[in-house]
Structures are given as structure tokens and as C-alpha cells.
Amino acid sequence: MLDIVHAGLAPTYVPYLDGWELQRRVHAEVRAGRRQDTLLLLEHEAVYTAGVRTQPSDLPVDGTPVVEVDRGGRITWHGPGQLVGYPIVRLPDPKDVVGHVRRIERALIAALDEVDVQGTQVDGRSGVWVSRPGSSPAKIAAIGVRVAGGATMHGFALNCDNALDGFGAIVPCGIADAGVTTVSEVLGRRMSPADLLDPVERALLGAFATELAA
């Protein structure tokens, strides 16, 4: 069973470091068996975070501060209008980190399908993407995770109705040859993180109930 916690949504945005500390507390409890698997859902204040594979060339050219974190992947932006989810779950043996990432991708694709957005996976690249006629696919959800003590941390960021200018100062996720989009941009109407809560929760509950029990 996956416990879902709304840790802070508009207009109450969560500072990134506060969210990271919450993750660590929940992770310690899940890892020790004192708490069931937990999904934290929230919106962050605007921030850049750099995963362990971030390169100097990925960083903001204007000197904007960047929070270095222990997840996989490279640099990305978080902020208002983006639904961030941290599934903190115990993985069965043998630990399959790639399988965990793919599980999240499939769940987000299912959630997007509920609102008539066709998401897809791209070979060799993590996250969820949408096709654009005459152009390369654009990323609509980023994923970066870590496994410690058999339990996962970090997770996904789904672009709902956030502005995209925060991505303009960096090479998001280290990918220079693809763009970034939002659910609102794809649909041509505003879709906030609150509008995506139910589809995302249903999809992730189903994904983890099915696959972690297997």
C-alpha cells in the first residue's frame, strides 16, 4: 500500500531544502519499517538542482545558485506550476533502479492519457516526452532517483502550467537537442498541478501495487 502525502501545493510552495529534509525523514522511517511506502506530492519554490552527473557546461551562465543533490541525472529546474512527486518505496530484491524509473514513466504516461496528452518513453533517455510534428520530442516530465538502504528517494517533476523560462538558463537534464513543454502548452488550456493530482495518484497507486507485489 502506498501512503500519499500532499506536502505543499499552491499557494503554499515548499522550499527545496525543506522538501529534501522531509524526504530524508520519511525515507529513514520507510527504510526501518516504521512507515509504509509513501508518495510525497508538492510544488517547490523556484530552484535549480544538480544531480550527480551534472557537468559544468550544464550550469546557469548567470551565476544563479544551484543546490547539489544526491539523485541521479543532471541539472533541472523546479518551481510553481510543476507537480513534484517523491515515491519513497522499498524495492524488492534484486534492486532494479532502471526498472523503478521505467515504472514511474509508465505511470505518468497513464496519468497524462487521462487528460488527453499522449506521453511516450524515448530510448536512451529518462523521463516522459511528447511528440512535436516536424521537431524533436519535448520533455514533459523529468525523473531522477536514488536508492539507499533498499528504499528509493527523489522522483519526478511533471510540468503542468509552469513557465518555461527557468529552463532557458541551463541545459536541462544535460540534453541540448530537445525542448521542454507543459501539459497546459500541449492542451492549449491551463492545467495546474491540482488538476493532475487525481490522475497521477491513481496511476502511481496502480503501478506500485501491481509491480512491487510481483
Side-chain angles (χ1 to χ4, degrees), residues 100-179:
H100 176 64
V101 171
R102 299 294 172 259
R103 180 183 302 119
I104 296 172
E105 289 171 351
R106 290 191 295 270
L108 293 178
I109 289 169
L112 289 169
D113 187 61
E114 286 197 39
V115 296
D116 298 320
V117 173
Q118 186 175 359
T120 187
Q121 294 166 300
V122 172
D123 288 343
R125 291 181 170 177
S126 67
V128 178
W129 303 75
V130 293
S131 298
R132 299 182 296 179
S135 185
S136 61
K139 181 175 277 192
I140 200 167
I143 297 175
V145 304
R146 176 177 182 242
V147 178
T152 64
M153 291 184 70
H154 302 287
F156 65 86
L158 175 62
N159 297 329
C160 299
D161 64 347
N162 51 286
L164 295 176
D165 52 355
F167 295 105
I170 61 171
V171 181
C173 302
I175 299 172
D177 62 345

Side-chain angles (χ1 to χ4, degrees), residues 161-211:
D161 64 347
N162 51 286
L164 295 176
D165 52 355
F167 295 105
I170 61 171
V171 181
C173 302
I175 299 172
D177 62 345
V180 182
T181 191
T182 67
V183 175
S184 297
E185 185 176 68
V186 172
L187 292 176
R189 66 178 189 276
R190 183 172 181 267
M191 292 287 285
S192 71
D195 296 323
L196 272 296
L197 275 179
D198 285 349
V200 166
E201 289 178 9
R202 279 192 293 271
L204 284 162
L205 281 169
F208 284 105
T210 300
E211 299 194 32

Side-chain angles (χ1 to χ4, degrees), residues 16-24 67-70 154:
Y16 186 81
L17 293 178
D18 290 353
W20 196 5
E21 177 57 31
L22 174 61
Q23 277 196 79
R24 287 193 286 257
V67 178
E68 295 184 2
V69 295
D70 54 0
H154 302 287

